[in-house]
Amino acid sequence: MKKYSLMAAVALLSCGMMMTSCKDDENEIVVVNPQQQVVLDCQRPEYLKTGDKVALISPSYYTPMENVEKTAAVLKSWGLEPVIGPNVGKVVDGRYAGTVAERMSDINWALNDPTIKAIICNRGGYGTIQLINQLSLAQLKASPKWIVGFSDISTLHGLWNRAGVMSIHGTMSSFLAQGGTDATSTLMRDLLMGKVPRYEVPSHPQNIEGSASGVLVGGNICTFAPNIGSQADATLGRDIILFVEEVEESMHNIDRQMRILQMNGVLNRCKGVILGEFTDCGTEFKDANGATISVEAMIHELLKEYHIPVLCGFPAGHGDVNLPLVMGANVTIDVHSDGATLQFNIDGDQQLVRTTEIVAPETPASVRLRLAGKTE
C-alpha cells in the first residue's frame, strides 16, 4: 500500500467507527459507521417541460467543446434550453475538467440558479470522489433537480439519493452529441419529461427468481464501493435494490468490490440485485472443468445464499445500449423463468419498453467507452 494511502486510512480510523466526522486544517471529512442503516425517502424532481433550462457540466474528465455544443443542439431540438457551465472546456492535468474548485463551482452554479431545472453531465472518467466532502446534502435537498450521468457520476447519484433526491443513471453529453436519436437518448429525454419506462427484460441463465421492492441505488461498482462510509454512500439505505455495472475491470477486482459490499453489510440490506453490463471485463475465472465463467456467474455464486431475486443482463452501463434508470426511486423487480420486469413506482406516464426491441446505435462501442471516460 502506498504511504499516503496508509496515512489516510489511519486518519479515518482514528476518527472512531461511531463518530460522524473528523477535521483537518481545511476540510471536514464526513465518516459514518457503515454498519448503520438509513431510510432513503427520495423525492422526485419536477419533470421538464418545453423551454426549461438544462445545465451541461463536467464534474469529472473534460469533454471537447465540440461535443458539448452538439449536445446543446440536441437539447434545443427537444424543445429545451441548454446552458453550458462557466468552467466547461477547461483542462487540468490533461484530463480533468478543471480544478476541484472549478468543477464544484459549476455544480453550485447549476444548483443555485432557480431557472435551471436539470443537470446533464458531459462525461465520466474519474474525479467525483474528490467532490464528496465539498457538497452539502442539505443544499441538494433544498434544490432538488435531476442530475443525469453514469460511470464516475455514480458518486453524485449516491450524494443525491442520500440527500433524499432522485436522479437518473443515463447517457451523457458525449453520447448525445452523436445525434440523440437512438433509444438510449430518447428514452432518457422521455423520462426527463415524465414518461416513465416499465422494462421487460429477457431471461438470463444467471437470474435468480423472485419478486422484491426497494429503493434503487448503486451504479458503477468501482466508483460507488469505495464511497462506503461517506455521505455519498446510498448503500446504507434499508431495503435497497442494488444496481451494478462495470467496464474494463478484472473479475478479481469486481469480486473484491462485491466482497467489500458484503463485509460492510450491504448485501444484507438488499431486497434484490440488478446486474447491468460488464463491458470488456475479465475472463480469468474458471469452473471445475476449466471453462471460462462470466462475471454474472461469479456474482450469482456470491448472491445465491441471500435468497433474493437477481435480474441479470439489464442493458445499462458501458455497453451498446444504456437505458435510463431512476436512482433513489422505489422499484419492483419480478424475475421469473421466462424473463423479468423492472417497474419504477413513481408517478408519470408509464410506457412499456421491451429491451429486446432496442436497436443499438451505430457508434462503435470503443468510441462510446472512450467518450464515457473509462478508456484513455
Side-chain angles (χ1 to χ4, degrees):
M1 181 181 291
K2 293 182 180 179
K3 182 178 180 181
Y4 68 84
S5 298
L6 179 60
M7 292 175 63
V10 171
L12 289 177
L13 288 172
S14 69
C15 296
M17 285 300 294
M18 297 307 294
M19 295 181 67
T20 59
S21 67
C22 62
K23 290 186 177 181
D24 59 21
D25 291 338
E26 298 180 357
N27 299 310
E28 181 174 348
I29 308 299
V30 179
V31 183
V32 297
N33 181 352
Q35 298 298 334
Q36 293 176 343
Q37 297 184 40
V38 298
V39 176
L40 296 177
D41 184 14
C42 299
Q43 68 178 112
R44 175 186 60 74
E46 292 297 319
Y47 291 126
L48 302 186
K49 59 184 184 300
T50 300
D52 278 346
K53 288 184 179 180
V54 177
L56 297 174
I57 66 169
S58 299
S60 300
Y61 280 179
Y62 81 94
T63 307
M65 282 303 297
E66 179 184 4
N67 285 341
V68 180
E69 290 164 357
K70 287 180 178 179
T71 298
V74 169
L75 295 182
K76 285 182 180 179
S77 75
W78 292 351
L80 301 171
E81 183 181 344
V83 285
I84 298 174
N87 290 295
V88 171
K90 292 186 176 180
V91 184
V92 172
D93 295 334
R95 59 185 64 190
Y96 294 108
T99 64
V100 169
E102 288 169 338
R103 286 179 278 138
M104 268 306 309
S105 176
D106 278 5
I107 292 177
N108 288 326
W109 160 77
L111 289 172
N112 294 333
D113 185 338
T115 68
I116 292 175
K117 303 302 181 181
I119 304 166
I120 295 179
C121 299
N122 290 319
R123 187 179 177 183
Y126 179 77
T128 55
I129 196 170
Q130 301 165 340
L131 311 179
I132 288 177
N133 293 304
Q134 307 290 321
L135 273 164
S136 161
L137 299 187
Q139 177 190 15
L140 297 177
K141 188 174 184 66
S143 183
K145 302 179 183 186
W146 293 113
I147 190 165
V148 182
F150 71 105
S151 195
D152 192 54
I153 310 305
S154 298
T155 295
L156 300 185
H157 291 308
L159 283 162
W160 254 246
N161 299 163
R162 280 295 304 275
V165 182
M166 296 181 197
S167 58
I168 296 177
H169 182 282
T171 192
M172 295 183 286
S173 285
S174 295
F175 299 131
L176 293 171
Q178 306 305 304
T181 59
D182 59 283
T184 290
S185 302
T186 56
L187 284 171
M188 188 270 284
R189 174 203 63 195
D190 291 348
L191 177 54
L192 280 170
M193 294 183 168
K195 294 182 68 174
V196 181
R198 180 182 181 275
Y199 293 115
E200 287 188 356
V201 188
S203 61
H204 191 285
Q206 300 303 332
N207 278 354
I208 298 177
E209 294 183 31
S211 298
S213 295
V215 178
L216 184 63
V217 301
N220 180 261
I221 191 169
C222 287
T223 298
F224 76 79
N227 296 339
I228 283 181
S230 76
Q231 67 171 353
D233 181 12
T235 69
L236 280 172
R238 181 183 304 140
D239 296 339
I240 57 175
I241 302 291
L242 184 68
F243 168 66
V244 177
E245 66 87 21
E246 195 44 82
V247 61
E248 294 182 336
E249 289 289 347
S250 69
M251 293 178 74
H252 287 102
N253 198 30
I254 296 171
D255 181 65
R256 178 182 297 112
Q257 304 305 320
M258 288 297 300
R259 292 183 185 277
I260 288 172
L261 298 180
Q262 181 184 46
M263 289 184 289
N264 282 280
V266 175
L267 301 186
N268 290 325
R269 295 191 288 274
C270 286
K271 304 297 285 187
V273 173
I274 300 171
L275 299 183
E277 301 287 344
F278 292 91
T279 307
D280 293 338
C281 289
T283 57
E284 67 269 27
F285 280 22
K286 313 291 181 182
D287 64 17
N289 298 317
T292 298
I293 66 171
S294 66
V295 175
E296 292 87 349
M298 176 187 73
I299 297 177
H300 175 108
E301 286 300 306
L302 178 63
L303 294 177
K304 66 182 182 181
E305 67 182 78
Y306 291 90
H307 306 291
I308 56 176
V310 178
L311 191 167
C312 296
F314 187 85
H318 290 77
D320 291 332
V321 175
N322 183 18
L323 300 185
L325 297 166
V326 186
M327 311 306 289
N330 183 277
V331 303
T332 298
I333 60 172
D334 184 9
V335 185
H336 40 86
S337 60
D338 57 352
T341 58
L342 166 60
Q343 177 173 315
F344 301 95
N345 302 318
I346 58 177
D347 60 333
D349 297 328
Q350 298 286 319
Q351 67 169 329
L352 176 64
V353 178
R354 295 184 175 92
T355 63
T356 54
E357 298 177 359
I358 301 297
V359 177
E362 296 180 357
T363 308
S366 59
V367 174
R368 287 192 294 282
L369 290 174
R370 176 174 53 79
L371 292 174
K374 290 290 286 192
T375 304
E376 293 307 306

PDB file of all heavy atoms in Angstrom, residues 259-287:
ATOM      1  N   ARG A 259     -17.222  -8.190  -2.441  1.00  0.00           N
ATOM      2  CA  ARG A 259     -16.979  -8.692  -1.087  1.00  0.00           C
ATOM      3  C   ARG A 259     -16.784  -7.543  -0.093  1.00  0.00           C
ATOM      4  O   ARG A 259     -17.083  -7.695   1.102  1.00  0.00           O
ATOM      5  CB  ARG A 259     -15.800  -9.664  -1.091  1.00  0.00           C
ATOM      6  CG  ARG A 259     -16.163 -10.932  -1.840  1.00  0.00           C
ATOM      7  CD  ARG A 259     -15.113 -11.999  -1.851  1.00  0.00           C
ATOM      8  NE  ARG A 259     -15.529 -13.103  -2.691  1.00  0.00           N
ATOM      9  CZ  ARG A 259     -16.331 -14.099  -2.307  1.00  0.00           C
ATOM     10  NH1 ARG A 259     -16.798 -14.126  -1.065  1.00  0.00           N
ATOM     11  NH2 ARG A 259     -16.668 -15.057  -3.150  1.00  0.00           N
ATOM     12  N   ILE A 260     -16.311  -6.413  -0.567  1.00  0.00           N
ATOM     13  CA  ILE A 260     -16.292  -5.224   0.287  1.00  0.00           C
ATOM     14  C   ILE A 260     -17.715  -4.840   0.671  1.00  0.00           C
ATOM     15  O   ILE A 260     -18.007  -4.528   1.833  1.00  0.00           O
ATOM     16  CB  ILE A 260     -15.575  -4.063  -0.426  1.00  0.00           C
ATOM     17  CG1 ILE A 260     -14.066  -4.334  -0.498  1.00  0.00           C
ATOM     18  CG2 ILE A 260     -15.836  -2.734   0.294  1.00  0.00           C
ATOM     19  CD1 ILE A 260     -13.301  -3.340  -1.348  1.00  0.00           C
ATOM     20  N   LEU A 261     -18.617  -4.888  -0.309  1.00  0.00           N
ATOM     21  CA  LEU A 261     -20.026  -4.622  -0.007  1.00  0.00           C
ATOM     22  C   LEU A 261     -20.557  -5.646   0.996  1.00  0.00           C
ATOM     23  O   LEU A 261     -21.263  -5.293   1.956  1.00  0.00           O
ATOM     24  CB  LEU A 261     -20.855  -4.677  -1.294  1.00  0.00           C
ATOM     25  CG  LEU A 261     -20.529  -3.665  -2.391  1.00  0.00           C
ATOM     26  CD1 LEU A 261     -21.445  -3.881  -3.592  1.00  0.00           C
ATOM     27  CD2 LEU A 261     -20.630  -2.226  -1.895  1.00  0.00           C
ATOM     28  N   GLN A 262     -20.218  -6.901   0.775  1.00  0.00           N
ATOM     29  CA  GLN A 262     -20.678  -7.960   1.670  1.00  0.00           C
ATOM     30  C   GLN A 262     -20.184  -7.740   3.095  1.00  0.00           C
ATOM     31  O   GLN A 262     -20.960  -7.825   4.061  1.00  0.00           O
ATOM     32  CB  GLN A 262     -20.201  -9.319   1.150  1.00  0.00           C
ATOM     33  CG  GLN A 262     -20.655 -10.510   1.996  1.00  0.00           C
ATOM     34  CD  GLN A 262     -20.076 -11.810   1.472  1.00  0.00           C
ATOM     35  OE1 GLN A 262     -18.889 -11.883   1.165  1.00  0.00           O
ATOM     36  NE2 GLN A 262     -20.914 -12.835   1.358  1.00  0.00           N
ATOM     37  N   MET A 263     -18.895  -7.444   3.251  1.00  0.00           N
ATOM     38  CA  MET A 263     -18.316  -7.286   4.588  1.00  0.00           C
ATOM     39  C   MET A 263     -18.868  -6.073   5.324  1.00  0.00           C
ATOM     40  O   MET A 263     -18.842  -6.024   6.550  1.00  0.00           O
ATOM     41  CB  MET A 263     -16.793  -7.211   4.480  1.00  0.00           C
ATOM     42  CG  MET A 263     -16.146  -8.534   4.119  1.00  0.00           C
ATOM     43  SD  MET A 263     -14.336  -8.478   4.107  1.00  0.00           S
ATOM     44  CE  MET A 263     -14.007  -7.502   2.642  1.00  0.00           C
ATOM     45  N   ASN A 264     -19.382  -5.099   4.566  1.00  0.00           N
ATOM     46  CA  ASN A 264     -19.946  -3.908   5.184  1.00  0.00           C
ATOM     47  C   ASN A 264     -21.459  -3.981   5.331  1.00  0.00           C
ATOM     48  O   ASN A 264     -22.107  -2.979   5.614  1.00  0.00           O
ATOM     49  CB  ASN A 264     -19.546  -2.669   4.381  1.00  0.00           C
ATOM     50  CG  ASN A 264     -18.120  -2.238   4.670  1.00  0.00           C
ATOM     51  OD1 ASN A 264     -17.845  -1.589   5.672  1.00  0.00           O
ATOM     52  ND2 ASN A 264     -17.196  -2.631   3.797  1.00  0.00           N
ATOM     53  N   GLY A 265     -22.007  -5.168   5.159  1.00  0.00           N
ATOM     54  CA  GLY A 265     -23.426  -5.373   5.426  1.00  0.00           C
ATOM     55  C   GLY A 265     -24.368  -4.948   4.321  1.00  0.00           C
ATOM     56  O   GLY A 265     -25.588  -5.006   4.487  1.00  0.00           O
ATOM     57  N   VAL A 266     -23.821  -4.528   3.161  1.00  0.00           N
ATOM     58  CA  VAL A 266     -24.680  -4.018   2.089  1.00  0.00           C
ATOM     59  C   VAL A 266     -25.582  -5.113   1.541  1.00  0.00           C
ATOM     60  O   VAL A 266     -26.782  -4.903   1.331  1.00  0.00           O
ATOM     61  CB  VAL A 266     -23.837  -3.401   0.957  1.00  0.00           C
ATOM     62  CG1 VAL A 266     -24.723  -2.988  -0.216  1.00  0.00           C
ATOM     63  CG2 VAL A 266     -23.047  -2.204   1.478  1.00  0.00           C
ATOM     64  N   LEU A 267     -25.026  -6.309   1.325  1.00  0.00           N
ATOM     65  CA  LEU A 267     -25.830  -7.375   0.736  1.00  0.00           C
ATOM     66  C   LEU A 267     -26.937  -7.818   1.680  1.00  0.00           C
ATOM     67  O   LEU A 267     -27.993  -8.278   1.222  1.00  0.00           O
ATOM     68  CB  LEU A 267     -24.934  -8.559   0.354  1.00  0.00           C
ATOM     69  CG  LEU A 267     -23.817  -8.237  -0.657  1.00  0.00           C
ATOM     70  CD1 LEU A 267     -23.088  -9.508  -1.069  1.00  0.00           C
ATOM     71  CD2 LEU A 267     -24.359  -7.509  -1.878  1.00  0.00           C
ATOM     72  N   ASN A 268     -26.727  -7.671   2.977  1.00  0.00           N
ATOM     73  CA  ASN A 268     -27.791  -7.991   3.931  1.00  0.00           C
ATOM     74  C   ASN A 268     -28.956  -7.014   3.833  1.00  0.00           C
ATOM     75  O   ASN A 268     -30.078  -7.332   4.233  1.00  0.00           O
ATOM     76  CB  ASN A 268     -27.245  -7.981   5.366  1.00  0.00           C
ATOM     77  CG  ASN A 268     -26.315  -9.145   5.637  1.00  0.00           C
ATOM     78  OD1 ASN A 268     -26.519 -10.245   5.123  1.00  0.00           O
ATOM     79  ND2 ASN A 268     -25.279  -8.908   6.424  1.00  0.00           N
ATOM     80  N   ARG A 269     -28.686  -5.805   3.330  1.00  0.00           N
ATOM     81  CA  ARG A 269     -29.736  -4.800   3.204  1.00  0.00           C
ATOM     82  C   ARG A 269     -30.443  -4.865   1.850  1.00  0.00           C
ATOM     83  O   ARG A 269     -31.408  -4.140   1.623  1.00  0.00           O
ATOM     84  CB  ARG A 269     -29.146  -3.394   3.416  1.00  0.00           C
ATOM     85  CG  ARG A 269     -28.602  -3.167   4.816  1.00  0.00           C
ATOM     86  CD  ARG A 269     -28.287  -1.710   5.074  1.00  0.00           C
ATOM     87  NE  ARG A 269     -27.112  -1.234   4.370  1.00  0.00           N
ATOM     88  CZ  ARG A 269     -25.858  -1.349   4.826  1.00  0.00           C
ATOM     89  NH1 ARG A 269     -25.633  -1.954   5.996  1.00  0.00           N
ATOM     90  NH2 ARG A 269     -24.834  -0.874   4.151  1.00  0.00           N
ATOM     91  N   CYS A 270     -29.925  -5.704   0.953  1.00  0.00           N
ATOM     92  CA  CYS A 270     -30.500  -5.796  -0.383  1.00  0.00           C
ATOM     93  C   CYS A 270     -31.766  -6.652  -0.381  1.00  0.00           C
ATOM     94  O   CYS A 270     -31.773  -7.769   0.141  1.00  0.00           O
ATOM     95  CB  CYS A 270     -29.496  -6.408  -1.350  1.00  0.00           C
ATOM     96  SG  CYS A 270     -28.147  -5.320  -1.826  1.00  0.00           S
ATOM     97  N   LYS A 271     -32.799  -6.137  -1.019  1.00  0.00           N
ATOM     98  CA  LYS A 271     -34.005  -6.924  -1.274  1.00  0.00           C
ATOM     99  C   LYS A 271     -33.906  -7.606  -2.641  1.00  0.00           C
ATOM    100  O   LYS A 271     -34.650  -8.554  -2.917  1.00  0.00           O
ATOM    101  CB  LYS A 271     -35.236  -6.025  -1.239  1.00  0.00           C
ATOM    102  CG  LYS A 271     -35.393  -5.234   0.043  1.00  0.00           C
ATOM    103  CD  LYS A 271     -35.593  -6.132   1.248  1.00  0.00           C
ATOM    104  CE  LYS A 271     -36.994  -6.705   1.280  1.00  0.00           C
ATOM    105  NZ  LYS A 271     -37.253  -7.454   2.541  1.00  0.00           N
ATOM    106  N   GLY A 272     -33.022  -7.100  -3.488  1.00  0.00           N
ATOM    107  CA  GLY A 272     -32.803  -7.669  -4.803  1.00  0.00           C
ATOM    108  C   GLY A 272     -31.619  -6.990  -5.458  1.00  0.00           C
ATOM    109  O   GLY A 272     -31.124  -5.966  -4.977  1.00  0.00           O
ATOM    110  N   VAL A 273     -31.149  -7.566  -6.563  1.00  0.00           N
ATOM    111  CA  VAL A 273     -29.977  -7.035  -7.271  1.00  0.00           C
ATOM    112  C   VAL A 273     -30.262  -7.028  -8.763  1.00  0.00           C
ATOM    113  O   VAL A 273     -30.864  -7.969  -9.310  1.00  0.00           O
ATOM    114  CB  VAL A 273     -28.718  -7.885  -6.972  1.00  0.00           C
ATOM    115  CG1 VAL A 273     -27.535  -7.440  -7.841  1.00  0.00           C
ATOM    116  CG2 VAL A 273     -28.350  -7.792  -5.483  1.00  0.00           C
ATOM    117  N   ILE A 274     -29.835  -5.957  -9.422  1.00  0.00           N
ATOM    118  CA  ILE A 274     -29.894  -5.854 -10.878  1.00  0.00           C
ATOM    119  C   ILE A 274     -28.460  -5.775 -11.392  1.00  0.00           C
ATOM    120  O   ILE A 274     -27.694  -4.901 -10.975  1.00  0.00           O
ATOM    121  CB  ILE A 274     -30.669  -4.603 -11.328  1.00  0.00           C
ATOM    122  CG1 ILE A 274     -32.110  -4.647 -10.808  1.00  0.00           C
ATOM    123  CG2 ILE A 274     -30.657  -4.474 -12.853  1.00  0.00           C
ATOM    124  CD1 ILE A 274     -32.869  -3.352 -11.032  1.00  0.00           C
ATOM    125  N   LEU A 275     -28.094  -6.693 -12.268  1.00  0.00           N
ATOM    126  CA  LEU A 275     -26.770  -6.675 -12.876  1.00  0.00           C
ATOM    127  C   LEU A 275     -26.887  -6.122 -14.284  1.00  0.00           C
ATOM    128  O   LEU A 275     -27.620  -6.654 -15.117  1.00  0.00           O
ATOM    129  CB  LEU A 275     -26.161  -8.087 -12.901  1.00  0.00           C
ATOM    130  CG  LEU A 275     -25.944  -8.738 -11.532  1.00  0.00           C
ATOM    131  CD1 LEU A 275     -25.272 -10.104 -11.710  1.00  0.00           C
ATOM    132  CD2 LEU A 275     -25.121  -7.859 -10.613  1.00  0.00           C
ATOM    133  N   GLY A 276     -26.152  -5.028 -14.526  1.00  0.00           N
ATOM    134  CA  GLY A 276     -26.154  -4.411 -15.834  1.00  0.00           C
ATOM    135  C   GLY A 276     -25.078  -4.988 -16.724  1.00  0.00           C
ATOM    136  O   GLY A 276     -24.750  -6.176 -16.650  1.00  0.00           O
ATOM    137  N   GLU A 277     -24.490  -4.145 -17.550  1.00  0.00           N
ATOM    138  CA  GLU A 277     -23.456  -4.595 -18.482  1.00  0.00           C
ATOM    139  C   GLU A 277     -22.095  -4.676 -17.781  1.00  0.00           C
ATOM    140  O   GLU A 277     -21.753  -3.818 -16.966  1.00  0.00           O
ATOM    141  CB  GLU A 277     -23.357  -3.631 -19.660  1.00  0.00           C
ATOM    142  CG  GLU A 277     -24.648  -3.471 -20.448  1.00  0.00           C
ATOM    143  CD  GLU A 277     -24.976  -4.682 -21.298  1.00  0.00           C
ATOM    144  OE1 GLU A 277     -24.066  -5.512 -21.518  1.00  0.00           O
ATOM    145  OE2 GLU A 277     -26.123  -4.801 -21.748  1.00  0.00           O
ATOM    146  N   PHE A 278     -21.327  -5.710 -18.136  1.00  0.00           N
ATOM    147  CA  PHE A 278     -19.941  -5.830 -17.683  1.00  0.00           C
ATOM    148  C   PHE A 278     -19.083  -5.853 -18.949  1.00  0.00           C
ATOM    149  O   PHE A 278     -18.653  -6.893 -19.431  1.00  0.00           O
ATOM    150  CB  PHE A 278     -19.757  -7.078 -16.827  1.00  0.00           C
ATOM    151  CG  PHE A 278     -20.485  -6.988 -15.512  1.00  0.00           C
ATOM    152  CD1 PHE A 278     -21.784  -7.450 -15.394  1.00  0.00           C
ATOM    153  CD2 PHE A 278     -19.900  -6.380 -14.419  1.00  0.00           C
ATOM    154  CE1 PHE A 278     -22.480  -7.346 -14.201  1.00  0.00           C
ATOM    155  CE2 PHE A 278     -20.584  -6.260 -13.208  1.00  0.00           C
ATOM    156  CZ  PHE A 278     -21.884  -6.744 -13.097  1.00  0.00           C
ATOM    157  N   THR A 279     -18.855  -4.655 -19.472  1.00  0.00           N
ATOM    158  CA  THR A 279     -18.278  -4.483 -20.793  1.00  0.00           C
ATOM    159  C   THR A 279     -16.756  -4.638 -20.761  1.00  0.00           C
ATOM    160  O   THR A 279     -16.075  -3.969 -19.987  1.00  0.00           O
ATOM    161  CB  THR A 279     -18.640  -3.091 -21.341  1.00  0.00           C
ATOM    162  OG1 THR A 279     -20.058  -2.915 -21.272  1.00  0.00           O
ATOM    163  CG2 THR A 279     -18.168  -2.930 -22.779  1.00  0.00           C
ATOM    164  N   ASP A 280     -16.249  -5.523 -21.586  1.00  0.00           N
ATOM    165  CA  ASP A 280     -14.802  -5.742 -21.709  1.00  0.00           C
ATOM    166  C   ASP A 280     -14.157  -6.071 -20.364  1.00  0.00           C
ATOM    167  O   ASP A 280     -13.014  -5.662 -20.096  1.00  0.00           O
ATOM    168  CB  ASP A 280     -14.123  -4.514 -22.332  1.00  0.00           C
ATOM    169  CG  ASP A 280     -14.538  -4.299 -23.778  1.00  0.00           C
ATOM    170  OD1 ASP A 280     -14.990  -5.269 -24.414  1.00  0.00           O
ATOM    171  OD2 ASP A 280     -14.419  -3.163 -24.274  1.00  0.00           O
ATOM    172  N   CYS A 281     -14.882  -6.777 -19.528  1.00  0.00           N
ATOM    173  CA  CYS A 281     -14.320  -7.189 -18.237  1.00  0.00           C
ATOM    174  C   CYS A 281     -13.604  -8.534 -18.377  1.00  0.00           C
ATOM    175  O   CYS A 281     -13.713  -9.210 -19.406  1.00  0.00           O
ATOM    176  CB  CYS A 281     -15.414  -7.260 -17.172  1.00  0.00           C
ATOM    177  SG  CYS A 281     -16.009  -5.616 -16.679  1.00  0.00           S
ATOM    178  N   GLY A 282     -12.881  -8.909 -17.344  1.00  0.00           N
ATOM    179  CA  GLY A 282     -12.003 -10.067 -17.393  1.00  0.00           C
ATOM    180  C   GLY A 282     -12.713 -11.392 -17.587  1.00  0.00           C
ATOM    181  O   GLY A 282     -13.932 -11.506 -17.391  1.00  0.00           O
ATOM    182  N   THR A 283     -11.941 -12.396 -17.946  1.00  0.00           N
ATOM    183  CA  THR A 283     -12.451 -13.769 -18.136  1.00  0.00           C
ATOM    184  C   THR A 283     -11.542 -14.763 -17.421  1.00  0.00           C
ATOM    185  O   THR A 283     -11.432 -15.921 -17.838  1.00  0.00           O
ATOM    186  CB  THR A 283     -12.523 -14.108 -19.633  1.00  0.00           C
ATOM    187  OG1 THR A 283     -11.218 -13.948 -20.222  1.00  0.00           O
ATOM    188  CG2 THR A 283     -13.509 -13.200 -20.364  1.00  0.00           C
ATOM    189  N   GLU A 284     -10.887 -14.304 -16.345  1.00  0.00           N
ATOM    190  CA  GLU A 284      -9.856 -15.145 -15.741  1.00  0.00           C
ATOM    191  C   GLU A 284     -10.400 -16.215 -14.796  1.00  0.00           C
ATOM    192  O   GLU A 284      -9.671 -17.127 -14.402  1.00  0.00           O
ATOM    193  CB  GLU A 284      -8.820 -14.286 -14.997  1.00  0.00           C
ATOM    194  CG  GLU A 284      -9.339 -13.567 -13.754  1.00  0.00           C
ATOM    195  CD  GLU A 284      -9.876 -12.181 -14.031  1.00  0.00           C
ATOM    196  OE1 GLU A 284     -10.339 -11.927 -15.157  1.00  0.00           O
ATOM    197  OE2 GLU A 284      -9.839 -11.348 -13.100  1.00  0.00           O
ATOM    198  N   PHE A 285     -11.687 -16.144 -14.422  1.00  0.00           N
ATOM    199  CA  PHE A 285     -12.244 -17.158 -13.529  1.00  0.00           C
ATOM    200  C   PHE A 285     -12.705 -18.374 -14.336  1.00  0.00           C
ATOM    201  O   PHE A 285     -13.297 -18.235 -15.413  1.00  0.00           O
ATOM    202  CB  PHE A 285     -13.410 -16.586 -12.726  1.00  0.00           C
ATOM    203  CG  PHE A 285     -12.994 -15.765 -11.531  1.00  0.00           C
ATOM    204  CD1 PHE A 285     -11.740 -15.182 -11.459  1.00  0.00           C
ATOM    205  CD2 PHE A 285     -13.870 -15.570 -10.472  1.00  0.00           C
ATOM    206  CE1 PHE A 285     -11.349 -14.426 -10.374  1.00  0.00           C
ATOM    207  CE2 PHE A 285     -13.498 -14.802  -9.377  1.00  0.00           C
ATOM    208  CZ  PHE A 285     -12.235 -14.241  -9.325  1.00  0.00           C
ATOM    209  N   LYS A 286     -12.468 -19.563 -13.799  1.00  0.00           N
ATOM    210  CA  LYS A 286     -12.818 -20.818 -14.475  1.00  0.00           C
ATOM    211  C   LYS A 286     -13.682 -21.687 -13.565  1.00  0.00           C
ATOM    212  O   LYS A 286     -13.639 -21.562 -12.337  1.00  0.00           O
ATOM    213  CB  LYS A 286     -11.549 -21.613 -14.843  1.00  0.00           C
ATOM    214  CG  LYS A 286     -10.442 -20.803 -15.504  1.00  0.00           C
ATOM    215  CD  LYS A 286     -10.811 -20.350 -16.890  1.00  0.00           C
ATOM    216  CE  LYS A 286      -9.649 -19.561 -17.526  1.00  0.00           C
ATOM    217  NZ  LYS A 286     -10.006 -19.063 -18.878  1.00  0.00           N
ATOM    218  N   ASP A 287     -14.464 -22.584 -14.188  1.00  0.00           N
ATOM    219  CA  ASP A 287     -15.228 -23.542 -13.406  1.00  0.00           C
ATOM    220  C   ASP A 287     -14.383 -24.780 -13.147  1.00  0.00           C
ATOM    221  O   ASP A 287     -13.193 -24.829 -13.494  1.00  0.00           O
ATOM    222  CB  ASP A 287     -16.552 -23.887 -14.082  1.00  0.00           C
ATOM    223  CG  ASP A 287     -16.375 -24.590 -15.428  1.00  0.00           C
ATOM    224  OD1 ASP A 287     -15.270 -25.095 -15.702  1.00  0.00           O
ATOM    225  OD2 ASP A 287     -17.358 -24.639 -16.198  1.00  0.00           O
TER     226      ASP A 287
END
